[in-house]
């Protein structure tokens, strides 16, 4: 999937971007047990992958902010301002 996206944007894979290295990196990531790890299905269209990544980032911010309040929501909005436009 990664190599297809590299080529689709008109780039050529560098010497690190080959099937074997990308598969190894993916497996290392999947083997991580950190609670903040998020896995997104990159076989979806690019716009859906981007939307899913926004959802994951917003969820993580919300978890780190704790109990919701107007002040915390405004703080989150300020942090995100411009990134989702």
């Amino acid at each position: 999937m990664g190599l297809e996206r590299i080529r689709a944007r008109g780039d050529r894979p560098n010497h690190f971007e080959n099937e074997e290295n990308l598969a190894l990196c993916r497996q290392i990531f999947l083997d991580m047990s950190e609670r903040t790890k998020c896995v997104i299905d990159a076989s979806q269209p690019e716009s859906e992958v981007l939307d899913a990544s926004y959802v994951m980032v917003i969820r993580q911010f919300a978890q780190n902010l704790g109990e919701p309040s107007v002040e915390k929501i405004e703080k989150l909005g300020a942090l995100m301002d411009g990134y989702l436009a």
Side-chain angles (χ1 to χ4, degrees), residues 11-23:
D11 289 337
R12 292 173 46 206
N14 65 36
H15 60 280
F16 294 109
E17 296 170 326
N18 61 59
E19 289 289 338
E20 185 179 341
N21 281 342
L22 293 173

Side-chain angles (χ1 to χ4, degrees), residues 1 9 15-16 28-31 39-40 51 56 74:
M1 181 60 50
R9 68 176 184 240
H15 60 280
F16 294 109
I28 290 169
F29 179 79
L30 292 175
D31 288 343
V39 179
I40 296 172
D51 288 347
M56 295 293 185
E74 288 173 350

Side-chain angles (χ1 to χ4, degrees), residues 32-48:
M32 294 168 45
S33 62
E34 297 180 32
R35 68 174 181 81
T36 57
K37 174 180 75 175
C38 302
V39 179
I40 296 172
D41 179 3
S43 67
Q44 303 173 74
E46 187 175 343
S47 63
E48 290 182 31

Side-chain angles (χ1 to χ4, degrees), residues 55-67:
V55 168
M56 295 293 185
V57 168
I58 291 167
R59 257 191 211 139
Q60 191 60 45
F61 275 136
Q63 286 177 358
N64 290 340
L65 289 174
E67 286 296 315

